[in-house]
Amino acid sequence: MAFEGKDERTRNVRVEDVAREAGVSPITVSRTLSNPDLVKPETRERVLQAVEKTGYIVNTFASSLRSGRSSLIAMFVSNIENQHVARATRGCADALENSGFHLMMAHTNYSARLEADFVGSVLPLRPAALVFTGIVQAETTRSMIRSRGMAVMEMWDHVDDPMDMLVGFSNVEGGRLMGEHLGASGFRNVAYVGRTNTAGNERLAGFREGLAAAGTEIGFLAPMDGHEPVLTDGAQALRTVMKRFPQCDAIFFSSEILAVGASLEASRLGVIDRIAIAGYGDSPIAEALPMPLTTVHVSSYEMGFRAGKMLLKHLSGETVREKVVILPNELRIRRSTARRSQD
């Protein structure tokens, strides 16, 4: 048999061709590639040489369908542009490195419809596990996954009924810590800017609770749902709050990128010493700003890394006794919320 070019080999070479070149049966080729320790060294060498000569490429998806075992872990990323989500994804990937499992990612952009479509597309491949950088919200998607009985890892939030395993933190607790801090610092004309759905709604609820403990409440709420925020959104939000709620003395932004944009705009407008600004996430830039930003610290890389290690433990057959891990929230108080002198 002639093998003329790499592209041609990739398209046409079958396991039978490798077997013919090596002088063994197709079953022996399959056994060599899947369980090399079960094959005699001299036979294994002949098969590997035939694979090299023919350019044969193992179809791992087809192999997993035949065997019922898969090395594929499908990860559904809510927003890869979000630096905290990206760090959690990197942590999970690092935990799985050199494990024999392969991570395949899909970007859902916070869309339940896209998430359901991607899950439906992946399930026929029989992945070893599914990972979500969020909580699976749609009941139809949850039912579809449960019917397959596979390992599931959810991250980023805390719910009472995770599908299987969960590593996250409490958005309610994070919001509450910020509300308590601003309330205890004496701010009474407080605004909230940011997401009001899913995780954002949890932060908002906690923030209200924290303010209430100090005898105050949100005076102005500016929802920002529907897209991943950028710096200019934070700048615009600050101008909106100043126009519609001129007595404002503190703003809590549910996203740190919004808080950073607002802080830079406040410096430009000369009001940085009049309005306290706080965020959520604690990226490196938060402390590097001219007015260091008060924020809630999120251990995003650790979250992803621990999620990956927990998955590996489960997939190796070990018992995972603690299937829900909630990382602590940490309030990082900096100069941006120091009590301002009043005119």
Side-chain angles (χ1 to χ4, degrees):
M1 179 178 182
F3 301 97
E4 299 185 358
K6 184 176 181 180
D7 291 341
E8 191 67 21
R9 291 185 302 181
T10 300
R11 286 195 300 268
N12 297 331
V13 177
R14 302 173 302 167
V15 69
E16 289 82 3
D17 300 320
V18 178
R20 188 179 303 111
E21 182 68 29
V24 298
S25 69
I27 293 177
T28 299
V29 173
S30 297
R31 184 180 297 120
T32 300
L33 297 177
S34 60
N35 294 288
D37 293 340
L38 301 180
V39 181
K40 293 180 180 179
E42 58 271 22
T43 302
R44 183 166 64 238
E45 182 62 26
R46 289 209 315 274
V47 170
L48 294 179
Q49 287 178 359
V51 168
E52 176 66 23
K53 184 175 180 179
T54 60
Y56 177 67
I57 297 176
V58 179
N59 187 332
T60 55
F61 290 155
S63 298
S64 66
L65 291 175
R66 288 192 298 268
S67 66
R69 298 187 304 271
S70 175
S71 63
L72 173 68
I73 294 177
M75 186 170 191
F76 303 91
V77 181
S78 55
N79 197 317
I80 198 66
E81 293 180 346
N82 182 301
Q83 60 182 316
H84 300 293
V85 174
R87 282 205 293 266
T89 302
R90 174 61 185 272
C92 189
D94 285 352
L96 296 172
E97 189 172 357
N98 298 322
S99 67
F101 288 97
H102 307 287
L103 199 62
M104 181 178 74
M105 299 182 212
H107 183 211
T108 64
N109 198 29
Y110 300 109
S111 167
R113 180 188 61 79
L114 280 178
E115 184 176 83
D117 287 347
F118 288 143
V119 169
S121 298
V122 166
L123 287 180
L125 301 176
R126 299 182 187 175
L130 304 179
V131 182
F132 297 85
T133 61
I135 302 301
V136 181
Q137 300 290 337
E139 186 55 42
T140 53
T141 305
R142 293 165 71 93
S143 298
M144 179 168 50
I145 295 170
R146 285 195 184 101
S147 69
R148 301 301 180 102
M150 61 181 56
V152 178
M153 173 62 71
E154 295 169 288
M155 289 192 285
W156 216 259
D157 206 349
H158 177 209
V159 291
D160 295 328
D161 60 340
M163 295 198 63
D164 184 10
M165 294 173 280
L166 182 148
V167 179
F169 59 90
S170 171
N171 278 288
V172 172
E173 176 67 8
R176 186 184 62 78
L177 287 174
M178 187 62 74
E180 287 179 346
H181 166 62
L182 294 181
S185 298
F187 297 105
R188 291 296 178 265
N189 297 295
V190 181
Y192 173 91
V193 177
R195 292 188 182 278
T196 58
N197 55 16
T198 60
N201 188 52
E202 299 288 326
R203 291 176 195 176
L204 176 57
F207 187 55
R208 291 186 191 276
E209 181 183 321
L211 288 176
T216 191
E217 60 185 18
I218 295 173
F220 182 80
L221 190 151
M224 293 191 69
D225 299 307
H227 71 280
E228 185 68 13
V230 295
L231 286 172
T232 52
D233 291 327
Q236 178 60 50
L238 175 71
R239 294 192 295 270
T240 298
V241 171
M242 291 177 61
K243 180 179 180 179
R244 299 180 59 185
F245 188 47
Q247 67 270 39
C248 178
D249 57 8
I251 309 174
F252 174 41
F253 292 88
S254 71
S255 166
E256 192 162 282
I257 194 71
L258 289 173
V260 170
S263 180
L264 295 173
E265 182 69 358
S267 294
R268 188 184 73 81
L269 295 176
V271 297
I272 192 68
D273 291 320
R274 184 167 67 82
I275 301 177
I277 294 174
Y280 204 109
D282 197 27
S283 63
I285 195 174
E287 194 169 14
L289 287 170
M291 179 73 76
L293 188 68
T294 292
T295 184
V296 177
H297 177 75
V298 175
S299 302
S300 47
Y301 179 88
E302 180 187 357
M303 185 187 339
F305 190 82
R306 291 186 67 169
K309 288 299 185 184
M310 188 186 299
L311 264 181
L312 283 180
K313 185 175 183 179
H314 172 81
L315 294 173
S316 66
E318 297 182 52
T319 300
V320 178
R321 303 192 192 287
E322 191 178 10
K323 301 188 79 171
V324 176
V325 175
I326 303 302
L327 301 178
N329 289 281
E330 299 176 38
L331 183 64
R332 301 289 170 85
I333 301 175
R334 301 187 179 109
R335 283 200 300 124
S336 72
T337 58
R339 183 62 180 150
R340 277 36 171 187
S341 58
Q342 300 299 308
D343 295 334

